[in-house]
Amino acid sequence: GQQLNQSPQSMFIQEGEDVSMNCTSSSIFNTWLWYKQEPGEGPVLLIALYKAGELTSNGRLTAQFGITRKDSFLNISASIPSDVGIYFCAGRDGVQGAQKLVFGQGTRLTINP
Amino acid sequence: GAVVSQHPSRVICKSGTSVKIECRSLDFQATTMFWYRQFPKQSLMLMATSNEGSKATYEQGVEKDKFLINHASLTLSTLTVTSAHPEDSSFYICSAGWGASNQPQHFGDGTRLSIL
């Protein structure tokens, strides 16, 4: 099925470093979402973006909805060990909660203390 | 706290058994619930979209007679894996969404299904 192109696929960083990951699509999305998944659990919502150009923060996390509506990025500043996990971007055609999501392949984040 | 509850979290059973997984929305009425399957080190793959009171819409390649979905109320959807075989072993995750709102989907904690 349709997928977003998410990169990088994996990252190995030192504690305290900043992290940046992004998603691109060949088609327009009207909603971008970023989730984090830890082993054996379901994804947990980090940030939701609804407007092109929107920049939203959640603690040390910042995400932006690209102006073209075909991309989004997520930054994590000053990483800590609990940031370890898999980060997924997801796009939605519309703005209604009942509409299905398209997921990126995920970015696996590993942090060396 | 959790807004979507999924049960059971883990199932181990013999080949040929049918397994039912429940997904409940706790704080809101979910007009739509989604069922995903996730293989190790891969992304979530949408299996079907479940609307309250109507038949589920299955994604291409997903057998509807194999994966029975029932969404009888605004807070409960169930996925039954019928006559499960080892190749059905996977991590199954549900999510719930509000109909006309712009709220994002919230996910359950997943069910690890292992067929022996």
Side-chain angles (χ1 to χ4, degrees):
Chain A
Q2 185 183 6
Q3 269 200 326
L4 300 174
N5 294 314
Q6 184 172 348
S7 65
Q9 290 188 16
S10 59
M11 300 184 76
F12 298 85
I13 62 169
Q14 297 293 125
E15 184 178 348
E17 286 185 17
D18 296 343
V19 171
S20 185
M21 59 192 80
N22 70 83
C23 269
T24 60
S25 169
S26 57
S27 53
I28 289 172
F29 287 100
N30 290 309
T31 302
W32 284 89
L33 305 167
W34 284 92
Y35 291 89
K36 179 188 177 188
Q37 185 179 29
E38 298 191 26
E41 297 181 10
V44 174
L45 180 70
L46 300 174
I47 293 179
L49 302 159
Y50 299 105
K51 217 165 139 180
E54 180 181 354
L55 184 71
T56 298
S57 293
N58 177 6
R60 293 176 297 104
L61 278 62
T62 303
Q64 182 156 34
F65 189 147
I67 285 289
T68 64
R69 291 192 282 161
K70 292 183 178 180
D71 64 310
S72 177
F73 72 73
L74 174 71
N75 288 341
I76 305 173
S77 62
S79 58
I80 59 178
S82 61
D83 291 333
V84 166
I86 305 176
Y87 292 79
F88 289 102
C89 62
R92 193 166 67 193
D93 281 345
V95 295
Q96 292 189 355
Q99 291 169 311
K100 61 183 181 182
L101 299 177
V102 177
F103 279 86
Q105 301 95 324
T107 296
R108 183 179 296 269
L109 179 62
T110 304
I111 298 176
N112 298 316
Chain B
V3 296
V4 176
S5 171
Q6 190 171 339
H7 178 80
S9 57
R10 187 175 182 102
V11 180
I12 302 172
C13 57
K14 291 182 181 178
S15 187
T17 308
S18 291
V19 178
K20 183 188 280 190
I21 302 170
E22 292 186 349
C23 183
R24 293 182 185 273
S25 59
L26 301 179
D27 300 327
F28 63 99
Q29 294 184 325
T31 53
T32 305
M33 288 187 177
F34 303 86
W35 287 95
Y36 297 84
R37 184 172 181 177
Q38 187 178 33
F39 292 105
K41 297 189 178 180
Q42 292 191 21
S43 187
L44 285 75
M45 182 186 78
L46 180 66
M47 299 174 67
T49 302
S50 161
N51 291 300
E52 186 264 338
S54 63
K55 288 185 182 178
T57 302
Y58 290 81
E59 295 298 302
Q60 192 173 5
V62 178
E63 298 175 60
K64 57 184 176 184
D65 294 330
K66 175 75 171 175
F67 299 101
L68 299 178
I69 291 172
N70 184 279
H71 192 160
S73 78
L74 284 171
T75 58
L76 174 65
S77 175
T78 59
L79 168 68
T80 301
V81 184
T82 61
S83 187
H85 291 285
E87 59 267 28
D88 298 322
S89 299
S90 192
F91 193 54
Y92 293 87
I93 312 173
C94 71
S95 72
W98 248 310
S101 78
N102 66 356
Q103 293 297 314
Q105 289 178 28
H106 290 279
F107 287 82
D109 273 340
T111 297
R112 171 74 56 197
L113 176 62
S114 300
I115 307 298
L116 305 177

